[in-house]
Amino acid sequence: MANLNLAIKENRPLSRAEVTEKYPDIPPLVILKADVQRRGVHYSEAALGALDLELHATTGTHIFGARDGKIAARPESLLLRDGSSIITTPTPLELDPYLVDLHEGRPFLFEDGEPVEEVDYWPRPDFYDKTSSSGTLMQNVVSARPQRLNIFPYRYCTFWNNGNGCSFCDIVTQMKKGKEELGIPARLDPLEVKEVVWEALLEPGRYAALFLTAGSNVAGKRAFDEEVDYYIEILQRVGELFSVPKIPSQLIGTAFDDGQLERLYRETPLTSYTADIEVLGEELFNRHCPGKAEWIGYKEWKRRLVRAVDIFGPGRVNTGLVAGVELTSPGGYKNEDEALARTLEEAEDLASQGVSTVYIVWSPRPGTAIGDQKNASLEYYARLAAGLHGLRGKYRLPIGFDDYRRCGNHPDSDLSRLHNF
């Protein structure tokens, strides 16, 4: 308690130990996870030496890049002792990340030279080394988290056509790297996706859900029609593998209009829908997401999320935040107290209408407009996690489709393990 009181008196950011002490209702592993995401990781040579390419998943088909800007054979990500995941990114040592090194022969997270937590690498899916009928390595068509299959149908976003991509996004850079260095198709064939998902499902008992996401595509008779058509085609092909009309699945797409949302639900096996608003507050949304502002607008984005609840049902619609960009300059909130209050105020407006809000810890990436700025303090992320989880409790919003099992990338929805609604 003495160190905590001293930190508060000195008005400095709290350390992980101090945040853990101050917020006893948040499990220490959730706080550690948020901090690892906030600071990133660096793998020692010994840790990389423990990577078994036949047993462990290595860096795969992400649509966003690493903080060190590299594509290399490194662990896809980490597992904690409680079975939950840390989705993290390799980070240069000079940025003070956690070190992943060996301790008594096993991978551990190290902080300030001390081992703080044992971790493991993600298990490699059985289908990764097989090839599809077109000769493409299957891991370049569908990738996997420990309990979820990921489909990234294409790797571009047309908001970038006139330079209006989001300020934190590196999808274009990553698309070029993935195509040049890994041979990843820029656009997937729906029949090939079906073929790979079938192969993946032969591994018994592993996957709990299917997930799709890509960049926005404004093309079509109505804006985003082609994006919707393509998602529908893929979902229909995958749906042919099942004998039931709906399967546990999540799509992160653009905020589609009423007719597009109704088509997605009516014509596919999709069960949940996400349209990431990225940052709450209209001025910040316009600043950080100019493409979304140009084509849809903040108020309409929120209206379409609420409308999606009517179609998909309560507890099946949410939106995501890139938490921390709301504090960047210029234009960001003046301090973390203000940012937290304004963000939770807007999140409650959505929650009261059936839309849940989750966040990822913003990871500043090279080549992005705000990649040279720092993310928020660990205490901010802890308070935000508790606040968003509290709103789900207040408005009875379950988050099972985007929780620690299906996703694992949201410290706030990790708390649903304690209290689901």
Side-chain angles (χ1 to χ4, degrees), residues 172-183:
V172 176
T173 302
Q174 185 66 4
M175 176 191 72
K176 293 177 180 176
K177 282 178 175 287
K179 185 177 181 180
E180 294 169 359
E181 300 181 28
L182 297 178

Side-chain angles (χ1 to χ4, degrees), residues 166-191:
C166 295
S167 65
F168 45 81
C169 176
D170 64 348
I171 190 172
V172 176
T173 302
Q174 185 66 4
M175 176 191 72
K176 293 177 180 176
K177 282 178 175 287
K179 185 177 181 180
E180 294 169 359
E181 300 181 28
L182 297 178
I184 298 172
R187 185 180 173 89
L188 301 181
D189 176 350
L191 286 174

Side-chain angles (χ1 to χ4, degrees), residues 220 224-234 236 263:
F224 310 107
D225 266 355
E226 289 193 9
E227 182 182 342
V228 172
D229 289 344
Y230 189 37
Y231 287 142
I232 288 175
E233 187 177 2
I234 290 177
Q236 287 179 338
R263 284 190 63 209

Side-chain angles (χ1 to χ4, degrees), residues 29-338:
L29 286 181
V30 173
I31 292 173
L32 173 64
K33 171 178 180 169
D35 205 30
V36 173
Q37 292 177 320
R38 188 177 72 92
R39 292 170 53 185
V41 297
H42 186 88
Y43 293 97
S44 71
E45 289 300 320
L48 292 175
L51 183 66
D52 187 331
L53 299 182
E54 294 185 355
L55 297 177
H56 301 132
T58 55
T59 306
T61 62
H62 300 291
I63 59 174
F64 302 114
R67 202 180 295 190
D68 64 5
K70 300 177 182 176
I71 291 179
R74 296 178 288 200
E76 177 75 78
S77 221
L78 303 172
L79 283 172
L80 292 168
R81 283 180 295 120
D82 64 356
S84 62
S85 301
I86 308 178
I87 317 294
T88 188
T89 176
T91 301
L93 274 175
E94 56 267 28
L95 296 180
D96 188 32
Y98 281 83
L99 179 67
V100 180
D101 201 354
L102 298 188
H103 176 64
E104 298 179 347
R106 301 189 301 273
F108 265 73
L109 286 167
F110 281 73
E111 183 179 32
D112 299 327
E114 297 294 327
V116 296
E117 186 62 40
E118 183 176 359
V119 292
D120 201 355
Y121 303 147
W122 285 6
R124 185 175 182 81
D126 289 349
F127 70 92
Y128 263 23
D129 294 322
K130 300 179 180 179
T131 55
S132 69
S133 54
S134 73
T136 303
L137 197 61
M138 286 191 175
Q139 67 172 344
N140 289 341
V141 178
V142 176
S143 59
R145 290 186 179 177
Q147 298 186 50
R148 187 181 84 178
L149 289 171
N150 290 332
I151 301 170
F152 304 129
Y154 56 87
R155 297 163 184 281
Y156 55 86
C157 172
T158 58
F159 291 154
W160 284 102
N161 290 353
N162 62 349
N164 276 345
C166 295
S167 65
F168 45 81
C169 176
D170 64 348
I171 190 172
V172 176
T173 302
Q174 185 66 4
M175 176 191 72
K176 293 177 180 176
K177 282 178 175 287
K179 185 177 181 180
E180 294 169 359
E181 300 181 28
L182 297 178
I184 298 172
R187 185 180 173 89
L188 301 181
D189 176 350
L191 286 174
E192 191 170 36
V193 172
K194 175 185 174 181
E195 178 187 2
V196 178
V197 170
W198 167 255
E199 189 67 36
L201 294 177
L202 295 178
E203 187 173 351
R206 171 152 180 178
Y207 302 108
L210 188 78
F211 170 86
L212 292 86
T213 193
S216 292
N217 179 5
V218 301
K221 186 176 181 180
R222 293 176 302 173
F224 310 107
D225 266 355
E226 289 193 9
E227 182 182 342
V228 172
D229 289 344
Y230 189 37
Y231 287 142
I232 288 175
E233 187 177 2
I234 290 177
L235 285 163
Q236 287 179 338
R237 295 290 81 76
V238 172
E240 290 169 356
L241 298 171
F242 300 87
S243 59
V244 293
K246 293 290 182 182
I247 58 175
S249 51
Q250 179 189 12
L251 167 67
I252 297 182
T254 308
F256 301 123
D257 67 25
D258 293 10
Q260 292 164 338
L261 288 169
E262 288 170 357
R263 284 190 63 209
L264 273 171
Y265 186 76
R266 188 178 62 248
E267 298 177 19
T268 78
L270 185 66
T271 51
S272 62
Y273 170 73
T274 300
D276 288 340
I277 201 166
E278 318 291 9
V279 61
L280 289 170
E282 186 163 9
E283 290 184 10
L284 290 172
F285 177 83
N286 293 342
R287 177 181 295 276
H288 289 287
C289 309
K292 295 184 176 185
E294 176 186 6
W295 286 90
I296 298 174
Y298 184 73
K299 292 184 177 64
E300 178 63 11
W301 194 284
K302 291 178 65 178
R303 190 201 69 77
R304 293 182 181 191
L305 282 166
V306 174
R307 174 61 180 138
V309 177
D310 296 332
I311 297 168
F312 284 84
R316 297 186 180 278
V317 177
N318 71 350
T319 189
L321 308 180
V322 183
V325 303
E326 64 275 22
L327 285 154
T328 59
S329 60
Y333 294 119
K334 295 177 182 177
N335 56 61
E336 293 186 351
D337 285 342
E338 180 188 9

Side-chain angles (χ1 to χ4, degrees), residues 324-396:
V325 303
E326 64 275 22
L327 285 154
T328 59
S329 60
Y333 294 119
K334 295 177 182 177
N335 56 61
E336 293 186 351
D337 285 342
E338 180 188 9
L340 190 70
R342 297 285 295 279
T343 297
L344 291 179
E345 180 182 14
E346 283 288 282
E348 179 155 16
D349 179 52
L350 287 168
S352 67
Q353 299 175 83
V355 179
S356 191
T357 300
V358 298
Y359 80 82
I360 62 169
V361 174
W362 169 49
S363 177
R365 291 187 167 90
T368 60
I370 53 175
D372 60 345
Q373 298 193 45
K374 292 184 178 179
N375 49 26
S377 73
L378 176 59
E379 184 176 15
Y380 179 75
Y381 289 115
R383 295 169 69 194
L384 184 58
L388 295 176
H389 177 68
L391 289 176
R392 277 191 284 279
K394 181 176 181 179
Y395 294 96
R396 312 299 294 178

